[in-house]
Amino acid sequence: KAKQAGGACVAFFTQDILVEASSRLTIAAELKRAITENELELYLQPQLDTLTGEVVGAEALLRWNHPVKGFLTPAAFIDVAEQTRAIRLVTGWLVKEAFSIIRRWESAGLELFLSFNISALDLADNELLERMTEELRRQPINPANIELEIVESAIIENFQSASAILSKLREMGFHVAIDDFGTGYSSLAYLDKLPVDKLKIDREFTSKLESGEGAGIVKSIIDLAANFKLRVLAEGVETYEQEQLLRSQGCNRVQGFYYSKPIPLTDFERKYLP
Ligand code: C2E
Ligand code: MG
Ligand code: MG
Ligand code: MG
């Protein structure tokens, strides 16, 4: 009987793995089609200067208008894309999009930067660096208007290669931000060597600001950023009270639902383009 049950268990297990593997392959293959068929869309969320309250830039967040599954947020596909080479296609698409958006903004006199998210795989070789170089040649813009967001672990896991690439991008004038700061290694030994301009405090800490414990962590990150001469932004600001605390602690930048949810690029441009 035990053997029978075990057998059934193995059968289920195998089937689950097969289903999972095939859905991975499907998502990866479908992302290729998504790019050629224009199913990917960027939603923009403003980033504000805490002191002036002015919008200074925006983060591009990916959405997928899937023909069968409908409107998908990154939770439904980014992990799988990151585990396959599909993420590199996505990032390649993002680079082109970001440059053409900035070119449009610059020619309209809109002085905002645009940030987009990249993954560990994008820093495993020179493809991203080459794409950015090529795109800058094809669509000349002020590189300071483009910022790349990367989680700390993606740099530290492959430190030599990743930091060399990010350093080169910064030498070209692009900006780099550490995303979800505080959730990864956060090692002081590394922070000193990271080729970055900005720390983005993870939403988890912002959401705990109103409790004493959360406020201490946020204050530590803000002080850390100041000591390393980095900008610091709090992600996921949802309330006036959080904004007040962040301002009094000296946080330079804020982003979150309190100011705006991510909105479609066209809506963003309708609002901000002169
Ligand atoms: P992230 O880069 O840390 O982006 C912040 C996420 O928090 C976004 O979720 C945003 O919609 C959400 N958010 C912003 N403000 C608030 C707030 O006040 N409250 C709450 N509850 N949430 C807020 P989203 O768009 O679902 O993206 C999730 C993650 O997917 C991103 O985290 C990023 O890691 C990844 N991602 C998004 N777009 C891309 C992309 O184009 N490429 C790559 N590689 N990853 C992406
Ligand atoms: Mg981000
Ligand atoms: Mg984040
Ligand atoms: Mg994140």
Side-chain angles (χ1 to χ4, degrees):
K1 189 153 190 234
K3 200 178 171 195
Q4 211 183 339
C9 201
V10 168
F12 278 120
F13 185 59
T14 312
Q15 201 186 7
D16 281 354
I17 287 179
L18 284 175
V19 168
E20 209 193 289
S22 81
S23 96
R24 263 164 211 275
L25 285 176
T26 310
I27 291 179
E30 281 192 320
L31 269 169
K32 282 188 196 169
R33 183 210 59 220
I35 290 169
T36 52
E37 302 293 318
N38 274 320
E39 293 166 18
L40 299 184
E41 187 182 357
L42 292 179
Y43 271 50
L44 268 54
Q45 186 179 36
Q47 297 186 2
L48 292 84
D49 181 292
T50 320
L51 289 180
T52 65
E54 271 176 46
V55 173
V56 290
E59 176 175 6
L61 295 155
L62 197 60
R63 301 291 181 261
W64 184 357
N65 295 298
H66 191 284
V68 178
K69 296 175 191 158
F71 184 76
L72 302 179
T73 61
F77 62 90
I78 280 289
D79 278 356
V80 174
E82 286 186 337
Q83 288 155 20
T84 64
R85 291 177 60 88
I87 195 66
R88 299 167 63 112
L89 297 175
V90 172
T91 302
W93 178 82
L94 283 168
V95 170
K96 285 212 172 91
E97 287 291 307
F99 272 78
S100 75
I101 291 167
I102 288 299
R103 206 163 62 143
R104 188 161 61 241
W105 290 0
E106 283 183 358
S107 56
L110 181 65
E111 285 178 34
L112 298 182
F113 67 85
L114 185 71
S115 71
F116 63 90
N117 297 278
I118 61 166
S119 306
L121 256 188
D122 293 312
L123 299 178
D125 60 33
N126 281 329
E127 187 176 311
L128 174 67
L129 184 63
E130 283 160 11
R131 276 180 188 279
M132 296 286 281
T133 309
E134 167 68 8
E135 213 53 40
L136 191 58
R137 197 184 56 73
R138 280 165 30 100
Q139 310 197 56
I141 53 147
N142 176 2
N145 286 332
I146 291 200
E147 182 170 82
L148 304 175
E149 295 192 9
I150 180 95
V151 294
E152 205 179 358
S153 60
I155 307 178
I156 292 173
E157 277 159 21
N158 192 2
F159 192 77
Q160 293 300 330
S161 152
S163 62
I165 291 166
L166 294 176
S167 298
K168 283 193 189 129
L169 287 165
R170 288 186 69 224
E171 276 164 30
M172 292 167 72
F174 297 106
H175 286 184
V176 177
I178 301 275
D179 208 348
D180 303 350
F181 190 79
T183 59
Y185 296 73
S186 303
S187 154
L188 288 174
Y190 274 109
L191 193 55
D192 188 31
K193 299 188 186 76
L194 293 179
V196 302
D197 303 280
K198 187 198 269 176
L199 303 181
K200 296 189 78 178
I201 303 172
D202 194 70
R203 186 169 83 222
E204 185 188 325
F205 305 118
T206 306
S207 70
K208 291 184 195 143
L209 256 175
E210 283 138 286
S211 77
E213 171 211 11
I217 296 175
V218 168
K219 179 73 175 114
S220 305
I221 300 178
I222 293 169
D223 291 346
L224 204 59
N227 289 335
F228 286 100
K229 304 209 162 39
L230 303 172
R231 287 227 162 88
V232 61
L233 175 146
E235 295 189 288
V237 179
E238 292 184 352
T239 68
Y240 174 75
E241 288 69 27
Q242 290 168 352
E243 183 194 73
Q244 290 303 303
L245 286 162
L246 290 161
R247 184 180 293 125
S248 70
Q249 294 184 342
C251 184
N252 317 131
R253 301 275 193 263
V254 281
Q255 176 180 355
F257 292 174
Y258 180 60
Y259 310 99
S260 170
K261 293 202 165 173
I263 56 175
L265 173 63
T266 47
D267 293 353
F268 185 92
E269 293 192 334
R270 204 170 300 130
K271 204 164 164 194
Y272 295 104
L273 270 184

